[in-house]
Amino acid sequence: MEYVTLSNGVKMPIMGYGVYQVTKDECERCVLDALKAGYRSLDTAQSYFNEEEVGNAIQKSGLQREEIFLTTKVWVEHYGYDACRKSVEESLKKLKTDYLDLLLLHQPFSDYYGAWHALEDLYKEGTVRAIGVSNFYPDRLVDIASFANIRPMVNQVETHPHNQQIEAKKWMDKYNIQIEAWAPFGEGRGGLFEEPVLKEIGAKYGKTSAQVILRWHIQRGVVVIPKSTHYERMVENLNVFDFTLSAEDMEKITQLDKKTSSFFSHYDPNMVEWFAKMVEERKNNHKSETEKKNW
């Protein structure tokens, strides 16, 4: 495994296992498989609703807690200082740990400054080894990096050959913020796995298009968290440290950049409205569930 060193000196595996869209029913088994395959970095979030299963798997794995780099993210409805701290306490309980290796703010909306101040204090108290953000576009990233007491150490954003974040990465590099890719394969949208360039490069090295994509990320210094529910694919994804793409290959992949999201834009006001509506619906659903339990 290769590592990156964050701005505060913490070492983070350049590849981890992500559990976005892994169901509660499958999550514990999948995380155990990932740890068996050799992953030592796990990425979850409050909004994935599987923190508890991740915690169960870590506990059952037989590995020491310090052998695992554990990341979770605070969801928007828990923004603001007090709500954020309370939600992190709940995450720690679900994950069955007394500290996190990395804690991120999941979205750049609502009172993210209040939540960020909570992360800063949790970091100072030693509950969190590193703090960062997710989905922060360059303008908001520079904002928080410039005015917060502690700069984010990581920014997790959509990054893959069809959306390479070249300009955004320049800003992250300028502020010494580590880029991390969610959807490092772009979920295969736009026929990414079938791109002739990727298949041609893969054939040269005896690798799949997916392995070429992961190697491309790694050589750019991008942390990746590929997700799979199949053990064989988990092993395959890890098998990318035995070859190096040439400068020519890297340039060919650069030419695949469409410079646009394969999913959604946080700049789009319609998307912001959608997030706001979703947060409100989740609050109401949570309130209803709580009332049922207390009835």
Side-chain angles (χ1 to χ4, degrees), residues 24-258:
K24 290 175 73 69
D25 291 340
E26 284 195 306
C27 188
E28 186 176 311
R29 188 267 302 169
C30 286
V31 173
L32 281 169
D33 279 352
L35 293 172
K36 178 183 175 184
Y39 291 85
R40 290 297 180 268
S41 178
L42 302 172
D43 179 277
T44 184
Q46 293 172 350
S47 67
Y48 300 170
F49 300 107
N50 56 21
E51 287 177 311
E52 194 166 0
E53 287 70 29
V54 172
N56 290 342
I58 293 172
Q59 198 170 59
K60 292 178 180 180
S61 70
L63 295 169
Q64 296 299 308
R65 170 65 184 86
E66 56 269 22
E67 294 181 67
I68 297 170
F69 191 98
L70 181 59
T71 300
T72 195
K73 311 175 197 72
V74 179
W75 187 239
V76 184
E77 67 187 84
H78 301 138
Y79 280 12
Y81 185 88
D82 292 335
C84 178
R85 286 195 67 115
K86 184 177 179 182
S87 76
V88 174
E89 289 175 9
E90 287 300 312
S91 289
L92 290 168
K93 289 178 184 175
K94 290 177 180 177
L95 291 163
K96 299 172 180 61
T97 183
D98 57 1
Y99 76 95
L100 295 165
D101 295 283
L102 178 61
L103 181 60
L104 306 178
L105 298 185
H106 208 151
Q107 300 289 348
F109 305 131
S110 188
D111 184 13
Y112 63 80
Y113 257 102
W116 184 255
H117 291 321
L119 264 61
E120 290 176 325
D121 285 351
L122 289 164
Y123 175 71
K124 293 173 185 175
E125 293 161 13
T127 304
V128 182
R129 296 179 64 223
I131 55 178
V133 293
S134 180
N135 297 305
F136 274 57
Y137 284 16
D139 57 336
R140 298 208 177 186
L141 186 68
V142 172
D143 167 34
I144 200 165
S146 299
F147 294 105
N149 296 316
I150 301 173
R151 284 182 180 174
M153 295 149 196
V154 172
N155 186 20
Q156 187 183 115
V157 293
E158 176 196 348
T159 314
H160 49 79
H162 283 168
N163 188 25
Q164 300 184 16
Q165 302 283 8
I166 292 172
E167 184 64 25
K169 188 176 183 298
K170 288 178 183 177
W171 286 103
M172 290 183 231
D173 291 344
K174 179 177 180 179
Y175 285 87
N176 200 13
I177 297 169
Q178 174 63 48
I179 182 172
E180 181 177 16
W182 62 257
F185 300 131
E187 293 185 359
R189 298 187 183 197
L192 183 58
F193 292 129
E194 301 306 315
E195 283 281 2
V197 168
L198 297 176
K199 296 177 81 171
E200 177 187 323
I201 293 172
K204 182 165 68 170
Y205 296 97
K207 299 291 183 179
T208 65
S209 294
Q211 288 172 315
V212 169
I213 291 170
L214 291 175
R215 187 66 213 175
W216 168 79
H217 279 298
I218 289 167
Q219 287 182 216
R220 294 181 71 214
V222 177
V223 172
V224 289
I225 45 171
K227 180 214 82 173
S228 176
T229 57
H230 304 288
Y231 180 76
E232 295 75 15
R233 188 63 55 80
M234 295 177 192
V235 173
E236 178 184 299
N237 288 340
L238 275 177
N239 190 22
V240 294
F241 297 100
D242 58 350
F243 74 109
T244 302
L245 297 173
S246 69
E248 182 183 5
D249 294 330
M250 293 292 287
E251 178 56 31
K252 285 180 179 178
I253 298 173
T254 298
Q255 299 306 312
L256 298 176
D257 193 6
K258 297 180 180 179

